[in-house]
Amino acid sequence: MRCRSSPSANWRENAGSSADKNRWGAKIWVPHAEQVWESATLEESYRKGAGFLKICTESGSLKEVKLKADGSDLPPLRNPAILVGQNDLTTLSYLHEPGVLHNLRVRFCERQIIYTYCGIILVAINPYAEMPLYGPSIIRAYRGHAMGDLEPHIFALAEEAYTKLERENCNLSIIVSGESGAGKTVSAKYAMRYFAAVGGSESETQVERKVLASSPIMEAFGNAKTTRNDNSSRFGKFTKLLFRNQMGVMYLQGATMHTYLLEKSRVVYQAQGERNYHIFYQLCAARSKYPELVLDHQDKFQFLNMGGAPDIERVSDADQFNETVQAMTVLGFSIQQIADIVKILAGILHLGNIQVSKKFNEGSEEEDTDSCEIFHNDIHLQITGDLLRVSAEDLRRWLLMRKIESVNEYVLIPNSIEAAQAARDALAKHIYAKLFQYIVGVLNKSLNNGSKQCSFIGVLDIYGFETFEVNSYEQFCINYANEKLQQQFNQHVFKLEQEEYLKEGITWTMIDFYDNQPCIDLIESRLGVLDLLDEECRMPKGSDESWAGKLIGKCSKFPHFEKPRFGTTSFFIKHFSDTVEYDVNGFLEKNRDTVSKELTQVLSESNMSLVKQVMTLEEIDTLSVDTAKSSTLGGRVVISAGRKQQGNDTRRRVVPSKQHRKTVGSQFQESLASLISTLHATTPHYVRCIKPNDDKIAFKWETAKIIQQLRACGVLETVRISAAGFPSRWLYPDFYMRYQLLVYRSKLDKNDMKQSCRNIVMKWIQDEDKYRFGNTQIFFRAGQVAFLEQVRANLRKKYITIVQSVVRRFIYRRRFLRLQMVINGIQRHARGFLARQRVQKMREARAGLILSKYARGWLCRRRYLRLRHSISGIQTYARGMLARSKFHAMRDHYRAVQIQRFVRGALARRAYQKRRRNIIICQAAIRRFLARRQFKRMKAEAKTIKHIENKYMGLENKIISMQQRIDELNRDNSNLKHKTSEISVLKMKLELKKTLEVEFKNVKAACQDKDRLIEALNKQLEAERDEKMQLLEENGHAQEEWLSQKQTWRLENEELRRQIDEIIEMAKNAEVSQRNQEDRLLAEIDNRELNEAYQRAIKDKEVIENENYMLKEELSRLTAGSFSLHGRKASNASSQNEDDVGYASAKNTLEINRPPDLLSKNYSYDSTSMVVKLRAILEEEKQKHKNLQEQYIKLASRHKPTEDSFRPACRVAGRGT
């Protein structure tokens, strides 16, 4: 390995060394203050030795970029458009930082693709949005496909690992890294889901279920909310998925889990905006289920309210707790174990609320600064003792005191307030770490069924490189682990490059790449950071400040170490991704991770078996080669519960002395070494998770943040290593198919594609160092593929222009010939069409003349005949009308003459009283007649309606009775069915009872009664058989009766329908006959009235004739006498109103000496008025008759029975029958 050279120098050596590539119009990248890199266009070609370049940025501004005289700092070129958006970054022609960044931005922002390959690395950018990419259909789509066949995906990487496992039967690993919030946990979860899906079998579905159920438990106990991530893993996890080979197919048989560097300090302290581990908040949300824990809201506990952010958006802690408990049940935790775990967690919360107060000297108010006080009645102290089932007094005692051991004796020293609080916090951290270790042990025991291990796929979910405003011991260990992993990654990538070149049989020179071994030596070498830290921890009076001074004095010789400008409370380390400043405050305490031995002894004597078991757990590193035991009291690094724990009564764990206890740093160094050894023994696959922004906004791109992560996670280092060699690689068939047009056909041979490709490359690339010919591929330096693409594009443009000119000539000539042929055809057809149209018009004109001649003749004849027929008809009807009018006039004249002849004789003088009496009698008779007729009519109507109602009532009763009978039969049927079901139930109960009776008799009876019992049982069996046959016969009879009854009901329903139809028909006939009878009655009444009026008229005529005769006699007798003519006559009275005539007639009938002409005149006048009055009376009677008839019709229609009114009545009648 060589020293690291500048990556920008290497990129520009390949991308910008040729001046012909920096011509006018070329696309380049220039640095930008905010966007890091900005696209620009050259405004003039580059000339060798020029001191500047004129460019036009993407925003449109013109700038001048200063250059060195040798052109070593030329700006990097942009990749051609065909290569933008590639799914593998190593296929880019120009491999440099801006090209990689632009390719990722196009895929992520424009195409919303979150996965991209970078050689052997899968780059995953967190979209902060739900993506439909992980369903069962997607798993099936990637199954069986090689890496690169489909779009980049975590499933493609997992399929590559699984296929290699099946093919080579070797161990593999998937290393998932990235900073907090980049999506490491989710990526590891989906990788394990894929392995569980493709490695499962029908008989072992429980294994996959357990593997997937382990994630909620580890997230609850090991994840917490930070300022960068709501679900940040605060520990490293290496999960081994164990597979066995069964007839060439790998089946998942179990798993083991190894954890690293749990952040125990989070249990007792959280920064602003952060939370403690999720399980505590879940437990507080579900406190109603565990009233015995005496829990309250999370803000009431000291260990949970420091960050001031107790809730997570769109996350329910109560639901998460239910999911955690369900997962623990799946993984074999018993109900008692879950209850004890919950009690321990609640005990930790109450332990944090124990108040340590000031203590005053006896007899004075002076404060004793060397001691403190915890009240005996502290409620949280009592609850902690009850939950953990330890002595609250012993717990209080050893929180207030500490014991210092000497050679022959020990001394009790009181603790100050700070020391007591530190002891309380250390105990809480120790309990939680041991509980976490126990939970991981139970998980491993449940996941690993103890079968023989064939091979495994390890999934490493490790924390990424971290740098904050204040970086402490945890960040130092995390960054140290990332340095080791980066070294392993660089060695692996370099090894793959070397193997690829050797396989292809090409010569190559050593590639310079960054070697971070000096930084690792600074941390873990003799007199390095960890060595000085362990040495300071062994010092009795060691402090963070003294250790910082030793660091500055001893480590200044390392090039990756920097001391601060001011003060000695911090130091700088130049890591591979960035320079980080570490605050030394708390380094020694966290490295020692001490806890009072007396407090652990108090917990070891607990009456709760789980507490006792947890406190006696030993920590071992299952990944280490020598499987050496690692027995410490705190600072757990790797946890495994594979070995069984010895009982307290058989073996007691020996607590090592403080001088021989390993520190957290040394443990972490050993476990990290074993992890690297394990990774070296496997075939690794890398997943680098990128966090695009700090605001957690979907598909938001922050260039500065992303470029920092790309540098930190080794993506750009991979690109630089690839760019330093031959990054662009083409298979001979692919290269031949794409670039065959760059040479003449004579130099191409399909049977020898390798020589054809050699001819193509040698024609256009003169420098032999820019390419290599391998066994199956052609290797190019960076920028050569882009040059070939440019040449190909220029040739294609030239050839396309020639082809286009020929094709255009051919197209236009063919279009002209086709148009000429079409025009000739159109003209020919048009002339023929016009000629045929002209002939057709001539024929139509001649035919029209002939048709119009005959049509006009026919129309004239028809008009004449219609006119003659109309005139004849009018004349006929006119003559008839005139004849009838003349006849009517003559008839009326004759009748008037006859009436006058008879009336003149009746207009003699009559007494007023007699005429009045006659009129009253006539009116009374008419009124009586009308009253009788109305009474008869109303009586007839009443009788008819009542009859119909009686009929309806009968039908309704029948229908009601029928419905009642049907309901009774239905109830009987349902009772029969219920009884049938009860019979079967009773039969079963009877058989059960008899069986019990037989068993009782068998127990009670003696051996000599067996024969008698058998005979009794046979008889009983025959009786039961007879009963069964009887029940079957009864059931058959019941079924027959039901069928017969059903047939009877059907016949009755048909008969009822027939009767209803007959009743409806009878009602219609009765209605018609009634209407005819009413018409006949009306006609008879009219005729009778006319006859009676005629008879009355005849009687009046006879009376008038008699009076006329008497008047004549009187006139003949009194002719000779004289009389006055001024008196009022009867004829004069007729011209007055009717009341006056009656009173004046008594006087005027005796008057005499009237002239004959006057008498005749009066007589004629009186006869005409009488006829008029009779006519008026007749018309009045007709009008009254008409009104009565209309009233009758209205009443009849109101009470008229319709078909709809008959139907309900018929139904009722049918039910009744």
Side-chain angles (χ1 to χ4, degrees):
M1 298 181 187
R2 298 179 183 176
C3 296
R4 178 181 181 182
S5 61
S6 173
S8 59
N10 287 333
W11 293 336
R12 291 171 185 124
E13 178 185 356
N14 297 312
S17 60
S18 299
D20 56 350
K21 297 178 184 178
N22 291 281
R23 298 173 180 173
W24 174 84
K27 302 290 186 180
I28 61 173
W29 293 102
V30 294
H32 191 269
E34 297 179 357
Q35 300 177 10
V36 184
W37 293 98
E38 184 182 16
S39 177
T41 306
L42 288 179
E43 290 297 312
E44 61 180 14
S45 299
Y46 170 71
R47 297 183 305 276
K48 190 172 183 180
F52 61 90
L53 275 178
K54 289 185 179 181
I55 63 171
C56 179
T57 62
E58 199 172 30
S59 59
S61 60
L62 295 175
K63 294 182 179 179
E64 289 187 358
V65 179
K66 294 183 179 180
L67 301 176
K68 294 181 180 179
D70 57 355
S72 60
D73 57 346
L74 281 173
L77 294 171
R78 285 190 59 174
N79 286 286
I82 190 175
L83 297 178
V84 175
Q86 289 290 313
N87 57 12
D88 193 344
L89 298 177
T90 59
T91 60
L92 298 176
S93 180
Y94 299 124
L95 282 172
H96 41 57
E97 182 178 295
V100 170
L101 192 66
H102 179 64
N103 195 78
L104 289 175
R105 188 185 65 80
V106 169
R107 289 178 60 83
F108 182 71
C109 296
E110 298 179 9
R111 304 180 185 178
Q112 293 191 351
I113 301 175
I114 63 174
Y115 292 111
T116 305
Y117 293 131
C118 181
I120 62 173
I121 299 176
L122 176 66
V123 179
I125 305 177
N126 192 346
Y128 289 114
E130 294 293 333
M131 302 290 288
L133 300 176
Y134 309 101
S137 59
I138 306 298
I139 294 177
R140 290 192 295 270
Y142 278 89
R143 183 68 179 103
H145 288 275
M147 194 171 177
D149 293 348
L150 301 176
E151 278 291 320
H153 200 285
I154 185 67
F155 291 164
L157 188 74
E159 172 62 22
E160 178 75 12
Y162 185 76
T163 303
K164 190 174 182 64
L165 176 71
E166 286 185 324
R167 184 174 61 249
E168 302 179 10
N169 198 16
C170 61
N171 298 328
L172 299 101
S173 59
I174 295 178
I175 302 173
V176 184
S177 63
E179 75 170 42
S180 180
K184 303 185 299 297
T185 303
V186 175
S187 298
K189 186 190 302 183
Y190 284 132
M192 289 191 292
R193 177 182 296 179
Y194 185 86
F195 292 133
V198 301
S201 63
E202 295 296 331
S203 60
E204 293 183 350
T205 55
Q206 190 69 15
V207 175
E208 302 103 46
R209 185 184 176 193
K210 288 182 178 180
V211 170
L212 297 178
S214 62
S215 296
I217 301 175
M218 299 308 296
E219 289 181 6
F221 285 89
N223 289 22
K225 176 186 177 182
T226 64
T227 55
R228 297 186 178 183
N229 187 10
D230 291 341
N231 189 29
S232 176
S233 299
R234 306 317 300 166
F235 67 103
K237 180 175 64 174
F238 185 67
T239 304
K240 282 186 178 181
L241 301 176
L242 308 178
F243 293 86
R244 74 171 185 275
N245 192 346
Q246 183 175 345
M247 299 181 68
V249 180
M250 289 294 179
Y251 287 99
L252 182 65
Q253 70 171 1
T256 59
M257 188 180 303
H258 314 279
T259 57
Y260 302 87
L261 195 64
L262 176 69
E263 188 182 5
K264 295 187 295 183
S265 60
R266 183 168 293 272
V267 177
V268 299
Y269 173 77
Q270 306 92 42
Q272 189 64 29
E274 297 187 355
R275 295 204 323 172
N276 206 325
Y277 290 103
H278 294 324
I279 188 63
F280 292 112
Y281 301 92
Q282 295 175 7
L283 183 61
C284 290
R287 59 183 179 274
S288 58
K289 298 181 180 180
Y290 302 97
E292 66 276 7
L293 303 181
V294 199
L295 292 176
D296 202 345
H297 190 267
Q298 51 213 22
D299 292 339
K300 303 296 184 181
F301 293 99
Q302 182 68 24
F303 286 166
L304 303 182
N305 60 9
M306 296 182 183
D311 298 321
I312 302 176
E313 293 183 2
R314 299 184 299 275
V315 175
S316 173
D317 289 325
D319 295 341
Q320 294 293 322
F321 181 78
N322 295 333
E323 184 179 355
T324 303
V325 172
Q326 185 178 1
M328 294 177 72
T329 305
V330 171
L331 285 166
F333 286 87
S334 65
I335 299 176
Q336 185 60 39
Q337 283 178 315
I338 296 174
D340 292 344
I341 290 172
V342 167
K343 289 181 179 179
I344 294 175
L345 294 172
I348 293 174
L349 294 180
H350 287 289
L351 180 63
N353 278 14
I354 295 176
Q355 295 294 328
V356 181
S357 57
K358 300 177 181 179
K359 186 177 181 181
F360 298 93
N361 295 325
E362 296 182 3
S364 67
E365 296 181 356
E366 183 181 358
E367 180 183 353
D368 187 359
T369 58
D370 295 333
S371 61
C372 58
E373 179 64 30
I374 298 177
F375 297 106
H376 291 276
N377 58 354
D378 191 316
I379 184 64
H380 295 286
L381 177 66
Q382 301 299 328
I383 294 174
T384 302
D386 294 339
L387 292 177
L388 301 180
R389 301 183 69 179
V390 297
S391 172
E393 187 61 32
D394 292 343
L395 183 63
R396 174 181 174 274
R397 177 188 177 188
W398 295 115
L399 285 175
L400 298 177
M401 306 289 291
R402 67 180 183 273
K403 183 167 65 174
I404 298 178
E405 298 180 358
S406 61
V407 179
N408 296 322
E409 60 182 5
Y410 64 88
V411 180
L412 295 179
I413 300 176
N415 289 329
S416 63
I417 295 179
E418 292 77 11
Q421 293 176 347
R424 179 196 64 188
D425 295 347
L427 180 62
K429 293 188 292 183
H430 184 72
I431 295 173
Y432 190 79
K434 289 293 185 180
L435 179 63
F436 189 81
Q437 177 184 352
Y438 170 77
I439 291 173
V440 175
V442 176
L443 290 181
N444 287 332
K445 184 178 180 181
S446 177
L447 293 174
N448 190 4
N449 54 13
S451 302
K452 182 179 179 181
Q453 177 180 344
C454 178
S455 54
F456 69 86
I457 297 179
V459 180
L460 178 61
D461 179 9
I462 196 69
Y463 17 65
F465 186 84
E466 289 186 355
T467 173
F468 300 108
E469 293 182 0
V470 178
N471 300 285
S472 185
Y473 184 76
E474 291 81 9
Q475 282 71 41
F476 173 77
C477 293
I478 289 172
N479 295 338
Y480 168 49
N482 278 272
E483 287 285 353
K484 296 287 287 185
L485 292 173
Q486 182 66 22
Q487 185 186 42
Q488 187 271 341
F489 169 75
N490 290 341
Q491 294 173 356
H492 180 70
V493 172
F494 178 76
K495 181 180 178 182
L496 289 181
E497 287 287 321
Q498 183 179 7
E499 289 177 354
E500 182 71 17
Y501 295 150
L502 293 176
K503 184 180 71 173
E504 292 293 329
I506 65 174
T507 59
W508 63 292
T509 58
M510 183 68 68
I511 300 174
D512 292 338
F513 67 96
Y514 174 73
D515 186 10
N516 58 350
Q517 185 61 42
C519 183
I520 295 175
D521 291 340
L522 167 64
I523 297 174
E524 63 182 15
S525 65
R526 178 66 178 169
L527 297 180
V529 176
L530 288 178
D531 187 64
L532 292 175
L533 182 62
D534 292 343
E535 181 181 350
E536 189 68 20
C537 289
R538 289 191 290 269
M539 299 295 292
K541 298 293 184 178
S543 64
D544 296 328
E545 290 77 10
S546 61
W547 174 67
K550 292 181 180 179
L551 279 179
I552 296 173
K554 301 290 186 180
C555 296
S556 298
K557 61 182 179 179
F558 291 96
H560 290 74
F561 181 85
E562 287 185 3
K563 61 181 180 180
R565 294 182 180 180
F566 305 102
T568 58
T569 59
S570 64
F571 62 94
F572 293 87
I573 293 181
K574 297 179 182 179
H575 292 284
F576 70 96
S577 61
D578 198 1
T579 301
V580 182
E581 179 183 7
Y582 296 102
D583 188 357
V584 299
N585 186 22
F587 262 68
L588 264 68
E589 180 65 28
K590 293 176 181 178
N591 191 49
R592 292 193 187 106
D593 195 25
T594 57
V595 64
S596 174
K597 184 174 65 175
E598 290 74 22
L599 288 174
T600 57
Q601 185 65 30
V602 171
L603 293 177
S604 300
E605 296 173 356
S606 170
N607 295 326
M608 183 188 297
S609 60
L610 182 60
V611 174
K612 189 181 299 184
Q613 183 180 357
V614 162
M615 297 308 297
T616 55
L617 284 177
E618 293 184 3
E619 300 176 357
I620 60 173
D621 185 0
T622 57
L623 289 178
S624 60
V625 180
D626 55 357
T627 63
K629 296 181 181 181
S630 176
S631 56
T632 59
L633 293 176
R636 45 164 315 293
V637 181
V638 179
I639 299 173
S640 176
R643 56 175 292 173
K644 296 182 180 179
Q645 304 295 333
Q646 299 292 336
N648 291 335
D649 53 348
T650 59
R651 178 178 295 180
R652 184 174 181 180
R653 185 171 64 93
V654 179
V655 180
S657 63
K658 184 181 297 186
Q659 287 76 13
H660 296 88
R661 182 184 303 157
K662 289 186 178 180
T663 61
V664 174
S666 60
Q667 295 177 71
F668 186 67
Q669 184 177 357
E670 293 176 0
S671 62
L672 196 57
S674 64
L675 173 63
I676 298 300
S677 300
T678 303
L679 295 180
H680 278 303
T682 63
T683 302
H685 297 76
Y686 298 94
V687 179
R688 294 295 189 252
C689 299
I690 304 297
K691 184 178 181 180
N693 59 82
D694 289 327
D695 301 327
K696 303 174 186 176
I697 299 176
F699 294 100
K700 181 183 177 182
W701 182 270
E702 292 182 0
T703 307
K705 182 172 185 61
I706 291 174
I707 199 66
Q708 188 271 337
Q709 294 178 73
L710 291 176
R711 293 167 181 167
C713 66
V715 174
L716 296 181
E717 189 67 20
T718 304
V719 172
R720 197 192 65 79
I721 292 174
S722 299
F726 297 92
S728 300
R729 301 161 191 182
W730 284 77
L731 295 174
Y732 285 111
D734 297 338
F735 187 83
Y736 174 83
M737 293 302 297
R738 183 163 185 82
Y739 298 107
Q740 58 180 336
L741 58 89
L742 298 184
V743 295
Y744 295 111
R745 190 174 297 274
S746 60
K747 293 187 177 181
L748 297 177
D749 186 4
K750 291 185 178 180
N751 297 325
D752 191 1
M753 290 187 179
K754 186 173 182 180
Q755 184 60 36
S756 300
C757 295
R758 186 184 296 271
N759 295 334
I760 296 172
V761 174
M762 293 177 67
K763 179 180 178 181
W764 293 102
I765 304 178
Q766 306 302 327
D767 189 358
E768 295 183 357
D769 187 57
K770 299 298 183 182
Y771 59 87
R772 291 288 188 275
F773 294 101
N775 296 328
T776 60
Q777 300 181 50
I778 307 176
F779 293 79
F780 293 98
R781 294 283 188 188
Q784 303 308 310
V785 175
F787 172 70
L788 292 177
E789 280 292 328
Q790 184 66 33
V791 173
R792 180 177 179 271
N794 294 335
L795 285 176
R796 285 187 65 191
K797 183 178 181 181
K798 175 182 175 182
Y799 295 153
I800 288 171
T801 303
I802 298 173
V803 171
Q804 284 177 347
S805 64
V806 176
V807 170
R808 288 193 187 100
R809 175 185 174 277
F810 170 75
I811 290 173
Y812 282 106
R813 186 175 183 278
R814 188 175 63 175
R815 186 181 302 170
F816 169 74
L817 295 176
R818 187 179 298 171
L819 184 62
Q820 186 181 31
M821 183 179 63
V822 170
I823 291 173
N824 292 334
I826 290 173
Q827 289 177 350
R828 183 174 66 252
H829 288 287
R831 292 189 187 99
F833 172 74
L834 292 175
R836 287 190 295 273
Q837 194 176 23
R838 187 165 58 251
V839 172
Q840 183 68 20
K841 286 183 179 180
M842 293 171 65
R843 293 176 62 188
E844 289 177 356
R846 184 174 178 277
L849 290 175
I850 297 173
L851 288 175
S852 63
K853 178 180 69 175
Y854 286 103
R856 283 194 295 270
W858 179 77
L859 290 173
C860 291
R861 282 193 298 274
R862 191 178 65 169
R863 191 182 300 115
Y864 167 74
L865 292 175
R866 283 183 178 179
L867 184 60
R868 189 177 68 174
H869 179 72
S870 299
I871 293 172
S872 300
I874 291 171
Q875 288 177 351
T876 301
Y877 284 107
R879 292 189 187 103
M881 183 183 67
L882 292 174
R884 284 190 295 274
S885 298
K886 187 176 181 181
F887 170 73
H888 289 157
M890 292 175 63
R891 187 181 63 181
D892 291 342
H893 179 70
Y894 174 76
R895 289 178 178 176
V897 171
Q898 292 298 325
I899 290 173
Q900 288 176 1
R901 184 169 62 84
F902 288 106
V903 169
R904 286 189 188 100
L907 291 179
R909 187 178 289 110
R910 290 180 298 183
Y912 171 75
Q913 294 296 336
K914 185 177 181 180
R915 291 185 62 186
R916 181 182 179 188
R917 184 173 59 255
N918 292 335
I919 291 171
I920 292 172
I921 291 170
C922 183
Q923 289 178 349
I926 291 172
R927 291 192 182 101
R928 181 179 58 191
F929 165 73
L930 294 175
R932 286 179 180 176
R933 187 172 66 178
Q934 185 176 3
F935 173 74
K936 290 178 181 180
R937 189 181 304 154
M938 294 175 64
K939 187 176 181 181
E941 291 176 356
K943 289 181 179 179
T944 304
I945 294 171
K946 185 176 181 181
H947 180 65
I948 293 173
E949 290 178 351
N950 291 332
K951 286 185 178 181
Y952 286 173
M953 183 61 71
L955 291 174
E956 185 176 3
N957 293 332
K958 287 183 179 180
I959 292 172
I960 292 173
S961 61
M962 287 294 294
Q963 184 65 37
Q964 291 176 353
R965 186 176 180 185
I966 290 172
D967 295 337
E968 291 176 359
L969 292 175
N970 289 332
R971 286 194 297 270
D972 295 337
N973 187 18
S974 62
N975 292 332
L976 288 175
K977 290 182 179 179
H978 183 66
K979 288 181 179 179
T980 304
S981 61
E982 288 180 353
I983 288 171
S984 61
V985 174
L986 291 173
K987 179 181 175 182
M988 294 173 63
K989 291 182 178 180
L990 182 60
E991 291 177 355
L992 180 62
K993 183 177 180 181
K994 290 180 179 180
T995 304
L996 294 174
E997 185 177 358
V998 168
E999 291 179 356
F1000 176 75
K1001 289 181 179 180
N1002 288 334
V1003 173
K1004 186 177 179 180
C1007 293
Q1008 61 270 19
D1009 296 332
K1010 287 184 179 180
D1011 295 333
R1012 186 170 63 256
L1013 285 174
I1014 292 172
E1015 183 178 359
L1017 287 173
N1018 290 331
K1019 291 182 180 180
Q1020 187 176 1
L1021 182 61
E1022 292 177 356
E1024 289 179 356
R1025 187 182 295 108
D1026 295 336
E1027 290 177 358
K1028 180 178 180 181
M1029 295 301 297
Q1030 184 177 359
L1031 290 174
L1032 292 173
E1033 290 177 358
E1034 290 178 359
N1035 189 13
H1037 290 316
Q1039 291 291 336
E1040 291 176 357
E1041 289 178 1
W1042 162 247
L1043 293 175
S1044 61
Q1045 188 66 32
K1046 185 176 181 181
Q1047 184 68 19
T1048 303
W1049 289 344
R1050 187 177 63 80
L1051 295 175
E1052 288 179 357
N1053 288 333
E1054 293 178 353
E1055 183 66 18
L1056 283 174
R1057 290 193 186 96
R1058 188 181 60 77
Q1059 291 179 4
I1060 289 170
D1061 294 337
E1062 290 178 357
I1063 290 169
I1064 293 172
E1065 189 65 27
M1066 290 172 59
K1068 290 182 179 178
N1069 295 333
E1071 183 181 0
V1072 172
S1073 61
Q1074 183 180 1
R1075 188 178 301 149
N1076 294 333
Q1077 184 177 2
E1078 289 174 355
D1079 295 338
R1080 188 170 59 255
L1081 289 174
L1082 289 173
E1084 290 177 359
I1085 291 170
D1086 293 339
N1087 293 332
R1088 187 165 59 251
E1089 288 177 353
L1090 291 174
N1091 291 330
E1092 289 176 357
Y1094 182 71
Q1095 292 296 329
R1096 285 197 302 271
I1098 292 174
K1099 290 180 180 180
D1100 292 338
K1101 178 183 176 184
E1102 291 175 355
V1103 171
I1104 291 170
E1105 287 179 350
N1106 292 329
E1107 289 180 355
N1108 191 15
Y1109 178 76
M1110 291 175 64
L1111 288 173
K1112 286 182 180 181
E1113 289 291 331
E1114 188 176 359
L1115 286 173
S1116 62
R1117 185 172 56 84
L1118 298 174
T1119 302
S1122 59
F1123 53 88
S1124 63
L1125 297 176
H1126 63 276
R1128 189 174 180 180
K1129 305 297 188 292
S1131 60
N1132 297 331
S1134 64
S1135 63
Q1136 307 295 327
N1137 51 31
E1138 294 179 1
D1139 295 336
D1140 295 339
V1141 170
Y1143 292 106
S1145 61
K1147 301 177 181 180
N1148 297 332
T1149 52
L1150 299 177
E1151 290 183 351
I1152 56 175
N1153 300 327
R1154 281 181 289 182
D1157 55 347
L1158 183 60
L1159 291 173
S1160 62
K1161 182 177 180 181
N1162 293 336
Y1163 179 77
S1164 176
Y1165 181 78
D1166 293 340
S1167 299
T1168 302
S1169 63
M1170 181 62 70
V1171 171
V1172 172
K1173 288 183 178 181
L1174 288 174
R1175 285 184 178 177
I1177 291 171
L1178 184 60
E1179 292 296 330
E1180 184 179 0
E1181 292 296 325
K1182 287 182 178 180
Q1183 185 65 31
K1184 290 181 179 180
H1185 173 70
K1186 186 177 180 180
N1187 294 335
L1188 291 172
Q1189 191 173 4
E1190 289 177 356
Q1191 291 180 3
Y1192 172 76
I1193 291 171
K1194 290 180 180 179
L1195 291 171
S1197 62
R1198 185 180 304 169
H1199 298 285
K1200 177 181 178 181
T1202 61
E1203 184 178 354
D1204 295 334
S1205 63
F1206 272 107
R1207 288 177 181 172
C1210 293
R1211 293 194 190 100
V1212 176
R1215 292 174 186 173
T1217 57

